[in-house]
Amino acid sequence: MEAPLYPDFPLDPSAPPGTQSAFWVGPRYLAGDDGRLYDAVADALAGLGWTSLTIVRGRHEPDEAPEDRQVLRSTLLHISPDTLHWAQWVLADEPFHLGDLPIAWQVSARADTSSPLAQWSAYFTPDIPGEALVDFLVALDARTQPGVPLAGPELVLDAVAAHGWLCDIDQPQAGATDPTFTSHISLGEMPPLIQDADPRALTAEADEAGPAGWQAWAEPALGEPCLWAASFGASVPHDLVAAFAASLSSTAPVLRRVLPEATRERLLRAPAD
């Protein structure tokens, strides 16, 4: 860690949200999202000049009062100034699941403005550290060609290795884990429903391996539910995934008021006062 942390400092989970104390905690990849994953990302995107829109779809019956309309979908959409990148907050929109966890943010990019279709998408569940997602989006915002790869997959593994993560014993060129073996990043076949323009994603037969994309997740205990998960389409450039991985594995402590129950006892913490 980059600051002295004290694991035995008491934390009062019963305190009202407005009076909860703030703590510097680590490791980052087990620290959760502080219950403000939307706000952390939305504030960062606003600072980058992205436009935010609210898309609401509903059903309105004849002679029904406007206030009685049934809202079927509500998506918060953030669009970059060049309109090549966008991020959707879909948690309240009946999202599909990743690692048995609902998707909270979906980030997409297209090659140019002539096509409305995304070239790739990346997906992030609740409790993923907001810092890692923000750093991914900052790196994306800086790219004028979000679909052009600038480096190979070794860049991702180098990013986590620099922070003490260990290469996977079975696949040292395609995976790594943190020193406590709770968090992982791996290059492998994409899960179902991941959107990607790679033609192999559409043409692969049932018995064939599809295109490989990066997956990351935290499993606090073997066989227990994941704390968070992230999935990157096969066409997501490795340098963007590396920005996410470097931030995720960073040894710098993060500020938190709300700690995940699953990892509370694993976290080092020091009062921020």
Side-chain angles (χ1 to χ4, degrees):
M1 304 299 297
E2 296 176 1
L5 301 175
Y6 304 93
D8 297 326
F9 198 93
L11 184 70
D12 181 10
S14 63
T19 60
Q20 281 184 315
S21 299
F23 293 84
W24 292 107
V25 305
R28 179 178 298 192
Y29 46 82
L30 296 180
D33 61 13
D34 207 27
R36 57 184 308 272
L37 184 59
Y38 174 76
D39 292 332
V41 174
D43 290 348
L45 293 178
L48 293 172
W50 289 37
T51 301
S52 61
L53 303 170
T54 301
I55 302 173
V56 178
R57 300 172 183 169
R59 181 170 58 228
H60 189 79
E61 301 292 340
D63 302 323
E64 184 179 42
E67 61 271 17
D68 294 330
R69 186 184 67 174
Q70 302 178 54
V71 175
L72 301 182
R73 290 174 59 91
S74 179
T75 300
L76 294 169
L77 180 66
H78 300 257
I79 306 173
S80 66
D82 60 9
T83 71
L84 293 179
H85 329 126
W86 59 95
Q88 302 175 69
W89 174 258
V90 295
L91 190 60
D93 198 23
E94 298 183 4
F96 68 89
H97 284 62
L98 183 66
D100 293 326
L101 297 172
I103 300 298
W105 280 101
Q106 177 178 339
V107 179
S108 303
R110 56 181 176 172
D112 55 65
T113 57
S114 64
S115 172
L117 301 178
Q119 185 172 358
W120 56 257
S121 291
Y123 306 81
F124 307 88
T125 72
D127 265 330
I128 199 164
E131 295 84 356
L133 179 48
V134 166
D135 286 342
F136 172 78
L137 287 163
V138 169
L140 173 62
D141 183 76
R143 290 288 299 270
T144 56
Q145 294 179 303
V148 178
L150 299 181
E154 66 278 357
L155 191 65
V156 177
L157 299 178
D158 289 346
V160 294
H163 295 146
W165 283 39
L166 310 172
C167 288
D168 187 280
I169 295 177
D170 299 320
Q171 295 180 307
Q173 304 302 318
T177 183
D178 77 281
T180 67
F181 300 98
T182 57
S183 299
H184 312 265
I185 189 163
S186 177
L187 181 62
E189 187 173 356
M190 295 186 301
L193 304 180
I194 300 301
Q195 297 179 7
D196 196 88
D198 190 318
R200 294 174 297 165
L202 301 176
T203 59
E205 300 293 337
D207 57 347
E208 294 179 344
W214 287 100
Q215 320 301 321
W217 68 97
E219 187 180 20
L222 186 63
E224 295 296 318
C226 289
L227 174 64
W228 56 261
S231 183
F232 301 85
S235 298
V236 179
H238 298 297
D239 60 289
L240 296 182
V241 182
F244 166 84
S247 181
L248 178 72
S249 61
S250 172
T251 57
V254 290
L255 193 64
R256 293 290 186 269
R257 289 179 172 83
V258 180
L259 301 182
E261 287 292 338
T263 58
R264 179 185 299 265
E265 300 306 319
R266 292 176 175 265
L267 294 169
L268 302 175
R269 53 184 179 263
D273 299 335

